[in-house]
């Protein structure tokens, strides 16, 4: 701190007795602090000082310098106590000598050595009591003098080094020089300033101190100071602007602290009052007329600014700043979570060096959100133009609300206008209805009548677009079988306005029967599809036989018989047919009699070899072929029966592609075996020689009407027989009513009389062959020994009984069923009937079968009857058990699952009849659950009576579950009902998840409410369902008397949402009732609410409040309010009268008593005696009542505004600016009258003059200039002020001249040295968007160029784009705003910074910092892909260079096709295909590269087949 001058020579030490001068007394810290507090601000600045504790640098070893190694003084304290702790010189004059004293006291119990050394400063000298070190006695002090001689009035500093036996410490020496003093006023008030608006006051501040002021000024929000830091020379002045920007109404106060570079702080007081100004919207809700989708409609809106400020407005999304900050913080957390989740999805954590911007996001996001206005109103449906701007004082601004719907539905949105001057944002409810495309079908029903199966028919319908927008349509096919037979051309396409599209319909029938199909035309943008109903009947080809029955009659066993018929096609379509006879055998063809006659093998006729299957006895020629249209075909049917029975069959026709057994022709036949007899049963050969063949003829007679086939059976055991016989023609056919002779050859092998029996068999007969009997009859003659041998020959016939029917089946019968009776007719061809023989025969044969139990049979012995007599038999048996089982599903439990509302599930149940009897029954569902009793919820198909054959016949029953609302888990039985019996067959289990939203009450009664008052009640919505849903109240139906909050939202499962219903009647009425107020629930029926109340008159005035004050002054009175209820109240008083004001809201806690509400009376005009100012205030209470007060005010004459006193030097002109306020809402012209009070007559040597009038705009303030000039001393009322404004637009230095002209004094010339430095950067502009997206922000600069100019724009980062140049119109006197649009398109994650430079030859340069934050891309989708189809996803390479991308899909059902390398800033299309399946599939596509990753959610739809 030494100056350039040579100081007065001095030594470092000097004896005190050799110097005599002024002495500066050492300061006592306690006394000095008390004296400091008693000083004024100016005195404190003139004599500042600072206490410093002497610092200790090191400790020494006492053993090396003293025998006393131990001390009684603590080690943390010093052996010598300095007083004072620092040496201070103040209020000194340059080149004068000053002396200060320092005392060092020995605190130890033994004498101690002391040495004091001064630093190297030439301005200080130490005068010590001794030239060498010396010991100081116990408790004694050693006094030193410090000599100070300054060269300048500035600060000096040095230190004394104190060395003792134990330590070394320092005592500072400080000389405090001159100080700077800025003459700020002690208090600065801002009265009645608009809220959320910047009010500025400019102060002329001078440095009245003796030193250049290097200062910094700090204050608290909502106050700010500009400039807040700077330098001001001695005696110089500057303008300091204090700005008051209150965020809310109320009273504010804050200290303003002026920090000097010398360490002193000076405190000033700032205070202000913030009020709301008169700015409003012309409407609080706006309904835009209906608009078609993709088109727009608009409506105007006006903002009225009836204040004296230029209000800035901007449309916002949220109701206040706090809600906006919460949303910003929520978005910030979501984006941070995404930043952390992206690396985890790929299984790696990126190193910190590769992502340097990621940690910054955590700390900088919140600041970026708060500083950057990233939450303006942004909506694709509603657009407000302009979104922000300024409104001049006492003017209005008209803006347009543009409504552009995307769907055909009602849109409702609430936006908020953030206007400076208003504490709360002004709400605006926007409502509009989107109208879908007006598309119609030329017909909605198409009847095609009867068509033949397999035929193709074509039809046409017209799709008409009656609207003004083009739209896309597509045909939706039903999932039933008949729907696949239709083909629509075209299936989809675009429909232009007022045009039509011809839809071709092709129908190729493949399923028979009546049908009704509904085809839907999905029209994009229309909430409901168009439906085309197609009905008709598909019939098979018409064909018939020319006979009604094929009657073969009786046919002989083994003899073929052929019948012919003709099949005729009466339709116009050909078809392929197959003919067959169900019930015919599937084995080898039947054997004919002709084959038996020619058979040389000689198989046994009674035991002929048969296969495992029955023989095929019918032959059809042709059995297959093609029938031409309207043609015919002759068919031959041949029956060769190998079974003795009656035939009741049918010839059926199967048509390929149509069905089976479409036509049947009855076939009737009976197979019998003709009865053959031997004409002469005994064939005598007489006497025969041994081994000589003899031949005789056997006559066989056929008395029947049918031919027969016979065979003389060969001799059995011929080698052992005594007689050999054979026939050279053993086989043959005998025609009806004819006979045939069969030759027999006999050869006797043994002598003697021989008999033998030959057998003849009939083809097909199961009876014993025909026998020839031969025997001898011995006759004995009485009284004689002679016996005569008589040969007896005969033919025996077996008795044969025939029954019709041969087998009578009764039953089986189920319990409780009626019995059955049957008749049997017995026939006997025998002439001789023996009871004994009949009993023996009947014991061997089963004549009648009847049911005894489930599987046993019972035989019934018939009594003898004459031939042809009818025998009536009543057969009775026990009933069988009913055995009906459920084959599938096992366990007899049908599990329907847990569905969502709107879903449908179908289950198949297989039922088997294991009873021995056929069964007819119905199925019925029994349930006590009301939801299941609704039509179509739980159905069984078929619903009609079911019939099952016995022993294993099955049928399938379809159980359909289509719930319409939420159903708790249920178990219900399906009953089987048949005559006389009801039993449980199987059990159905299931449940339905869905939303079950209800109100705790559907009727609210508010009672009587005072007019202009209101009352509230609560209603609670509960969601007892399984999923959350959205809700929205129909607000139009509540108006104008009711309101509900919230109006829409989301309710989660198990959640309660309370609603506050407010009844604020708009007019007097004895009964106000609103019925059927709807709350729309997503996916469910709307909830209904009924509200009722009445409106009564306002009660009489409670009391009158009287106000009296001077005009343009205030008087306030309080009204005591109480809240007797248990809930807090927020009241909004209704204040009438333009001169009274009060808080817009007042809050009363529950049970709070006598809270004061302040009403302020501020008249702007004087009142007269006969006409006082009138007003009223009404407090609407939430209980429906109200308090009414009458207000009466008297405004007296105004008082003097104040006195201004200034001291002005002679011969210097002085101008005083007197603020003049216009308190009215219209412009005013004030007449100025100057009255000189002292002296009464103003001499010519003094001038006090100003304009004779001044114009002041409405609610504004103007300065009136009053000029004063005097050539001699005197007392006048004036103020001197000379303002010179310098506003450079470009940097650099320049010079100028200021010339003041005076007729008396001449001209005064001043040379001006002007220097313009670079302007400060503008406020930073913040951006926040995702990688791959763009964000455009509009910022402003203040253009001061008085001529039209062009600004060139340039940024130093490629992520930010702007126009190359913008044009600026000539600016007004105070400058004009110039908007600049900047687009941020990041190419990397993290933060990006840039600087936007705007330069103009006339307007100068501007620098705008740009800060952008790039977040990871947000997931997109889901993209719906039909089974077997594809979808396209647009993708763009956002990086500035060619980049390789990888495409990954986790689920194998999806396939991706896209280029791997993309050029910089180029776009492509990603094609994703889905193979399909029975269930929907969800996956995601990840497009990754080193710079980031993009996620697209995919959803594959199930196959419709």
């Amino acid at each position: 701190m030494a100056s350039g001058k040579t100081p007065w020579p001095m030594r470092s030490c000097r004896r005190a007795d050799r110097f005599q001068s002024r002495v500066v007394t050492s300061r006592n810290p306690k006394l000095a602090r008390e004296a400091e507090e008693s000083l004024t601000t100016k005195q404190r600045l003139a004599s500042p000082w600072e206490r410093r504790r002497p610092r200790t640098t090191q400790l020494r070893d006492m053993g090396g310098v003293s025998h006393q190694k131990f001390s009684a003084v603590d080690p943390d304290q010093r052996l010598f106590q300095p007083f004072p702790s620092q040496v201070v010189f103040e209020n000194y004059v340059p080149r004068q000598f000053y002396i200060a004293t320092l005392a060092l006291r020995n605190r130890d119990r033994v004498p101690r050595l002391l040495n004091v050394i001064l630093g190297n400063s030439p301005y200080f000298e130490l005068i010590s009591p001794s030239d060498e070190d010396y010991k100081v006695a116990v408790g004694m002090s050693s006094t030193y003098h410090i000599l100070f001689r300054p060269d300048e009035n500035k600060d000096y500093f040095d230190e004394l080094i104190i060395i003792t036996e134990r330590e070394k410490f320092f005592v500072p020496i400080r000389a405090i020089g001159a100080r700077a003093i800025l003459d700020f006023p002690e208090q600065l008030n801002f009265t009645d300033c608009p809220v959320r608006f910047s009010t500025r006051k400019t102060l002329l501040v001078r440095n009245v101190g003796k030193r250049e002021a290097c200062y910094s000024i700090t204050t608290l929000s909502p106050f700010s100071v500009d400039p807040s830091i700077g330098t001001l020379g001695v005696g110089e002045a500057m303008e300091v602007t204090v700005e008051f920007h209150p965020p809310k109404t109320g009273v504010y106060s804050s200290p303003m602290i002026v920090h000097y570079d010398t360490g002193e702080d000076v405190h000033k007081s700032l205070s202000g009052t913030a009020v709301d100004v008169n700015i409003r919207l012309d409407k609080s809700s706006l309904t835009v007329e209906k608009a078609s989708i993709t088109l727009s409609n608009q409506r105007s809106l006006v903002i009225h600014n009836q204040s004296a400020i230029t209000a800035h407005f901007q449309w916002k999304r949220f109701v206040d700043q706090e809600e906006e900050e919460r949303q910003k913080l929520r978005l910030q957390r979501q984006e941070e979570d995404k930043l952390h989740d992206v690396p985890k999805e790929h299984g790696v954590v990126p190193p910190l060096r590769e992502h340097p911007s990621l940690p910054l996001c955590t700390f900088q996001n919140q600041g970026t959100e708060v500083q950057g206005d990233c939450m303006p109103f942004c909506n694709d449906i509603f657009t407000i133009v302009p979104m922000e701007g300024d409104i001049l004082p006492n003017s209005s601004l008209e803006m347009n609300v543009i409504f552009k719907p995307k769907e055909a539905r009602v849109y409702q949105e609430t936006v908020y206008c953030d206007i400076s001057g208003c504490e709360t944002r002004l709400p605006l409810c926007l409502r509009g209805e989107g109208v879908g495309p007006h598309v119609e079908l030329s017909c909605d029903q198409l009847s095609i009548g009867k068509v033949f199966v397999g035929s193709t028919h074509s039809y046409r319908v017209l799709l008409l677009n009656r609207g003004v927008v083009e739209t896309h349509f597509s045909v939706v096919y039903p999932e039933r079988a008949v729907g696949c037979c239709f083909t629509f051309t075209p299936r989809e396409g675009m429909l232009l306005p007022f045009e039509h599209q011809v839809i071709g319909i092709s129908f190729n029938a493949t399923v028979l029967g009546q049908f009704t199909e509904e085809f839907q035309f999905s029209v994009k943008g229309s909430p409901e599809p168009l439906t085309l109903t197609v009905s008709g009947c598909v019939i098979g080809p018409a064909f018939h036989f020319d006979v009604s029955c094929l009657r073969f009659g009786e046919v002989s066993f083994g003899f073929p018989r052929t019948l012919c018929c003709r099949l005729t096609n009466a339709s116009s379509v050909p078809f392929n047919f197959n003919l067959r006879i169900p019930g015919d055998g599937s084995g080898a063809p039947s054997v004919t009699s002709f084959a038996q006659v020619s058979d040389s093998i000689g198989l046994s006729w009674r035991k002929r070899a048969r296969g495992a299957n029955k023989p095929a006895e019918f032959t059809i020629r042709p059995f297959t072929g093609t029938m031409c249209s309207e043609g015919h075909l002759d068919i031959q049917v041949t029956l060769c029966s190998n079974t003795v029975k009656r035939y009741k069959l049918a010839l059926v026709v199967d048509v390929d592609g149509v069905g089976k057994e479409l036509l049947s022709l009855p076939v009737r036949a009976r197979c019998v075996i003709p009865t053959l007899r031997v004409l002469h049963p005994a064939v005598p050969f007489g006497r025969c020689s041994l081994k000589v063949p003899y031949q005789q003829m056997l006559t066989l007679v056929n008395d029947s009407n049918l031919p027969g086939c016979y065979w003389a059976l060969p001799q059995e055991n011929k080698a052992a027989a005594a007689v050999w016989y054979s026939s050279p023609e053993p086989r043959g056919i005998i025609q009806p009513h004819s006979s045939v002779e069969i030759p027999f050859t006999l050869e006797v092998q043994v002598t003697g009389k021989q008999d033998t029996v030959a057998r003849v068999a009939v083809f097909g007969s199961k009876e014993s062959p025909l026998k020839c009997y031969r025997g001898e009859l011995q006759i004995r003659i009485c009284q004689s020994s002679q016996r005569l041998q008589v040969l007896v020959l005969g033919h025996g016939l077996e008795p044969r009984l025939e029954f019709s029917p041969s087998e009578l089946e009764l039953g089986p019968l189920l319990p409780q069923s009626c019995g059955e009776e049957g008749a049997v007719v017995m026939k006997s061809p025998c002439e001789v009937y023996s009871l004994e023989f009949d009993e023996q025969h009947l014991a061997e044969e089963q004549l009648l079968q009847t049911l005894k139990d489930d599987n046993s049979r019972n035989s019934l012995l018939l009594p003898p009857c004459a031939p042809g007599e009818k025998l009536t038999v009543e057969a009775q048996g026990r009933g069988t058990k009913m055995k009906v089982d459920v084959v599938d599903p096992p366990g007899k439990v049908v599990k329907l699952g847990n569905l969502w509302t709107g879903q449908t599930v179908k289950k198949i149940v297989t039922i088997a009849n294991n009873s021995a009897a056929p069964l007819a029954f119905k199925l019925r569902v029994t349930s006590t659950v009301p939801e299941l009793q609704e039509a179509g919820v739980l159905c069984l198909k078929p619903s009609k009576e079911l019939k099952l054959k016995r022993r294993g016949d099955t049928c399938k029953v379809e159980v359909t579950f289509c719930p319409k609302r939420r159903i708790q888990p249920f178990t219900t039985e399906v009953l089987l009902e048949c005559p006389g019996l009801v039993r449980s067959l199987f059990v159905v289990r299931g449940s339905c998840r869905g939303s079950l939203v209800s109100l705790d009450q559907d009727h609210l009664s508010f009672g009587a409410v005072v007019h202009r008052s209101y009352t509230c009640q609560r209603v609670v919505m509960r969601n007892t369902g399984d999923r959350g849903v959205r809700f929205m109240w129909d607000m139009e139906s509540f108006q104008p008397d009711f309101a509900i909050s919230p109006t829409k939202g989301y309710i989660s499962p198990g959640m309660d949402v309370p609603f506050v219903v407010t009844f604020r009647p708009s007019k007097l009425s004895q009964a106000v009732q609103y019925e059927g107020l709807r709350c729309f629930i997503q996916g469910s029926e709307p909830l209904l609410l009924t509200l009722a109340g009445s409106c009564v008159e306002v009660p009489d005035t409670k009391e009158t409040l009287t106000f009296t004050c001077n005009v343009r002054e205030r008087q306030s009175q309080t009204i005591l309010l109480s809240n007797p209820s248990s809930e807090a109240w927020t009241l909004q008083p209704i204040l009438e009268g333009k001169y009274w004001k009060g808080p817009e809201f007042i809050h009363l806690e529950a049970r709070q008593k006598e809270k004061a509400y302040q009403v302020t009376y501020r008249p702007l005009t004087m009142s007269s005696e006969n006409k006082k100012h009138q007003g009223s205030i009404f407090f609407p209470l939430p209980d429906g009542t109200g308090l009414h007060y009458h207000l009466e005010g008297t405004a007296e004459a105004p008082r003097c505004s104040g006195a201004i006193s200034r001291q002005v030097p002679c011969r210097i002109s002085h101008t005083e600016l007197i603020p003049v306020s216009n308190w009215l809402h219209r412009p005013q012209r004030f007449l100025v009258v100057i009255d000189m009070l002292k002296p009464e007559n103003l001499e010519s040597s003094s001038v006090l003059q100003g304009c004779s009038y001044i114009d002041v705009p409405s609610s504004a303030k103007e300065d009136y200039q009053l000029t004063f000039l005097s050539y001699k001393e005197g007392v006048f009322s004036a103020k001197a002020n000379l303002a010179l404004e310098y506003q450079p637009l470009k940097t650099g230095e320049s010079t100028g001249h200021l010339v003041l002209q005076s007729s008396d004094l001449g001209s005064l010339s001043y040379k001006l040295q002007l220097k313009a430095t670079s302007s400060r950067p503008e406020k930073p502009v913040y951006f926040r968007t995702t990688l791959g997206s763009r964000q455009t922000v509009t910022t402003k600069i203040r253009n001061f160029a008085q001529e039209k100019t062009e600004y060139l724009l340039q940024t130093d980062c490629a992520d930010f784009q702007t126009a190359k140049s913008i044009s600026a119109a000539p600016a007004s006197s105070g400058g004009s705003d110039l908007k600049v649009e900047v687009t941020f398109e990041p190419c990397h994650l993290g933060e990006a910074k840039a600087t936007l430079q705007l330069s103009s030859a006339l307007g100068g340069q501007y620098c705008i910092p740009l800060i952008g934050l790039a977040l990871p891309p947000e997931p997109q989708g889901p993209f719906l892909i039909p089974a077997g189809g594809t979808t396209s996803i647009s993708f763009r390479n956002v990086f500035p260079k060619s980049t390789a991308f990888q495409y990954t899909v986790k689920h194998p059902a999806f396939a991706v096709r896209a280029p791997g390398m993309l050029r910089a800033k180029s776009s492509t299309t990603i094609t994703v295909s889905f193979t399909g399946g029975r269930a929907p599939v969800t996956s995601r596509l990840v497009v990754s590269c080193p710079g980031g990753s993009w996620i697209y959610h995919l959803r594959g739809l199930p196959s419709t087949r």
Side-chain angles (χ1 to χ4, degrees), residues 968-1169:
Q968 294 284 350
F970 64 88
T971 299
T972 185
E973 293 183 341
V974 176
L975 302 181
L976 181 146
E977 296 181 345
C978 61
L981 178 65
V982 177
R983 56 165 285 190
S984 176
L985 185 59
F986 58 89
V987 174
V988 177
R989 292 178 181 174
S991 63
C992 176
R993 295 177 295 174
S995 59
L996 186 57
V997 181
S998 61
L999 298 174
D1000 62 343
Q1001 50 185 334
D1002 57 1
H1003 187 280
L1004 294 180
S1005 179
F1006 292 87
V1009 176
V1010 175
H1011 186 229
R1012 297 195 302 175
S1013 183
Y1014 69 97
T1015 183
C1016 299
Q1017 291 193 25
R1018 291 180 177 268
V1019 61
V1020 179
M1021 176 185 291
R1022 294 187 175 91
N1023 185 0
T1024 56
D1026 305 292
R1027 63 177 176 183
V1029 295
R1030 296 187 179 276
F1031 64 86
M1032 181 178 67
W1033 289 94
D1034 184 8
M1035 293 305 300
E1036 288 188 353
S1037 59
F1038 282 81
Q1039 297 175 356
D1041 298 318
F1042 292 94
I1044 191 169
S1045 177
T1047 59
K1048 59 182 179 180
Y1050 181 85
I1051 181 170
S1052 303
M1055 177 182 176
D1056 291 353
V1057 176
F1059 294 92
V1060 177
V1061 184
T1062 304
F1063 177 39
R1064 194 185 301 270
S1066 58
K1067 59 182 179 179
L1068 298 175
S1069 177
Q1070 294 295 329
V1072 179
Q1073 184 166 349
Y1074 287 29
E1075 297 181 353
L1077 302 179
R1078 296 178 298 175
C1079 180
F1080 300 101
I1081 306 298
Q1082 179 184 3
S1084 302
E1085 295 293 330
L1087 302 178
L1088 301 181
L1089 179 65
T1090 300
L1091 306 178
S1094 62
C1095 179
V1096 297
E1097 294 183 354
V1098 179
D1100 296 335
T1101 302
K1102 185 175 182 180
E1103 60 179 285
T1104 299
L1105 300 180
T1106 303
F1107 298 83
T1108 302
C1109 67
N1110 298 100
V1111 67
R1112 300 190 300 279
E1113 293 185 359
R1114 289 183 174 88
Q1115 182 187 8
S1116 299
Q1117 295 192 32
T1118 58
I1119 300 176
L1120 299 180
L1121 302 175
S1122 300
N1123 178 10
S1125 68
S1126 59
E1127 295 183 359
W1129 285 359
T1130 299
L1131 307 182
Q1132 185 177 10
I1134 302 174
L1135 191 60
E1136 295 181 351
K1138 60 182 178 179
Y1139 299 135
W1140 280 274
K1141 289 186 177 180
E1144 184 178 0
F1145 297 96
I1146 180 172
H1147 184 77
L1148 300 177
E1149 298 293 340
R1151 310 295 184 185
Q1152 185 175 2
K1153 296 182 179 180
E1154 296 184 352
K1155 182 172 182 179
Y1157 178 84
Q1158 188 173 17
V1159 182
T1160 301
Y1161 172 58
R1162 185 177 183 269
L1164 301 180
T1165 59
M1166 295 176 58
S1167 62
S1168 61
E1169 295 182 0

